[in-house]
Structures are given as C-alpha cells and as structure tokens.
Amino acid sequence: MNITNANKWYENQLMVGYEDAYADTHLFLDTIDSGSVFVEIGSDRFVGSTQYYANLAQKYNTVLFSVDITTNARERIEHSHIVWQTEVGSNWAKNIYPTIDKKISVLFLDNQDYIWNADTLEKQNSNTDCQTEHFTQLFYLYSWLTDDCIVVLDDTYRYNGCWVGKGGACVIFLLSMGFKIVWEADLEKNSLRGYNTAGVIMKRNL
C-alpha cells in the first residue's frame, strides 16, 4: 500500500468509526513540563501516529523522539520537530535515552507485532516476547516520566478481565504506580465493524 492509498484508506476508516488510541492524546494534554519531550517507540506504519505526535510536539514547543528498527518512516515523513532514532526500543530506552536526559510528557508504545489469534506455541511465545519488549521499554523510561505524563499503549485490551495485547503488562504496572485509564478503545464495537483495533490512554495526577 503506497502512502497516498494508505492515507485515503485511513481517512475512510475514520469516517466509519475506526479508532486509534494515539489520536485522542490531545484530549488529555493540557500543559507540559518545561524542557520535556514526547517519545514514540514504533514509528508510523501508514496510520498517522508520527505526524500526529510531531504536530502536537510543535504545538507545545517541544520535539518528538521517534524510535524504530527501520528508517521507513523517516524516508517518507519530513517534520522539523522529529528527532529520528534507529534502534531496538528496549536497548534505546535502557542505554541511549539516559544520555538524552530529558523528562517525557507523552510516551507512545506501539512497536513489535502482537498476534491476535495465536493458535500455535510459536505464536504465543512471540506474543510473550512482544509484551516483554514493551514492558522493558516502559521499565527503563519510567523514571523519566513527568508527574502528569500521558502513556498511550496500542493494541492493548481486556480479555476475561485481564489486560493483554502489546501493553498488557504495562497497564498492570502503571495501575500499580497510580496511573488511571482515561480512555479505552471499544474492542467489541470495533470487532463488529471488522477492525482488530484496541488501545488505552493512561495518566496520573488527574
């Protein structure tokens, strides 16, 4: 899918109720700490997240650090408020971000793929790796979050009352640290529309 067709597809989905967690971040963002930044781990795959957060960063006079293992998004998106980083997310969070030494006002985690219908042990192990990767990123970045930081987790949802998906482990950790869920995608409604889309937005000090 090329960029023109991808953008058209996404616009059409929005018209019929398609929802992505990242696109509501601005609703919960008032002010940000001076000198703080936005971080996205998992650059845009034709659904608009990087452009959205870059525009939001520009509005708040800061920058977006967009981290990915490929340069695909960098090659097609130009924005003066993006700082591109090519690295595995957990390694970047552990070893590189401390050298940046800035507080984080918005953190968006959406990288390693989660398999929705994991019908083999191999796929289930892959999902465990996905959750581990996302949690490791959050673990190493946690001390850099501002007091009123917003954390956005894509492809994350409840199953039998438990949090699963990419950020399932992250939700539990953040709840234990005083964060609240301020927005949650309606997975059942989205599934009826034919979309496997889910996600949550979390914030503390409400």
Side-chain angles (χ1 to χ4, degrees), residues 77-144:
I77 299 173
E78 293 185 10
H79 202 293
S80 60
H81 286 255
I82 300 176
V83 180
W84 297 103
Q85 307 274 278
T86 306
E87 183 56 84
V88 174
S90 55
N91 183 61
W92 183 83
K94 179 181 180 180
N95 297 311
I96 300 175
Y97 197 76
T99 68
I100 296 170
D101 192 25
K102 292 181 180 294
K103 285 291 188 175
I104 300 170
S105 287
V106 175
L107 175 62
F108 177 50
L109 301 182
D110 178 24
N111 44 102
Q112 185 173 332
D113 286 340
Y114 185 85
I115 303 170
W116 292 79
N117 297 308
D119 54 1
T120 67
L121 181 59
E122 180 182 7
K123 292 177 181 178
Q124 291 165 7
N125 288 339
S126 176
N127 281 350
T128 298
D129 291 343
C130 172
Q131 283 201 336
T132 301
E133 175 65 18
H134 281 77
F135 180 77
T136 303
Q137 295 162 13
L138 175 62
F139 178 81
Y140 284 112
L141 293 176
Y142 185 80
S143 63
W144 301 98

Side-chain angles (χ1 to χ4, degrees), residues 136-154:
T136 303
Q137 295 162 13
L138 175 62
F139 178 81
Y140 284 112
L141 293 176
Y142 185 80
S143 63
W144 301 98
L145 304 185
T146 61
D147 288 341
D148 59 350
C149 178
I150 294 174
V151 179
V152 185
L153 304 164
D154 197 42

Side-chain angles (χ1 to χ4, degrees), residues 127-196:
N127 281 350
T128 298
D129 291 343
C130 172
Q131 283 201 336
T132 301
E133 175 65 18
H134 281 77
F135 180 77
T136 303
Q137 295 162 13
L138 175 62
F139 178 81
Y140 284 112
L141 293 176
Y142 185 80
S143 63
W144 301 98
L145 304 185
T146 61
D147 288 341
D148 59 350
C149 178
I150 294 174
V151 179
V152 185
L153 304 164
D154 197 42
D155 292 337
T156 302
Y157 59 100
R158 303 176 197 249
Y159 180 75
N160 287 340
C162 296
W163 284 97
V164 297
K166 290 181 179 180
C170 296
V171 171
I172 299 304
F173 173 73
L174 290 172
L175 288 172
S176 76
M177 300 303 289
F179 277 75
K180 305 295 183 185
I181 296 168
V182 295
W183 184 93
E184 178 183 349
D186 190 332
L187 179 60
E188 182 177 358
K189 180 178 69 176
N190 291 340
S191 296
L192 291 174
R193 290 171 171 162
Y195 313 128
N196 281 335

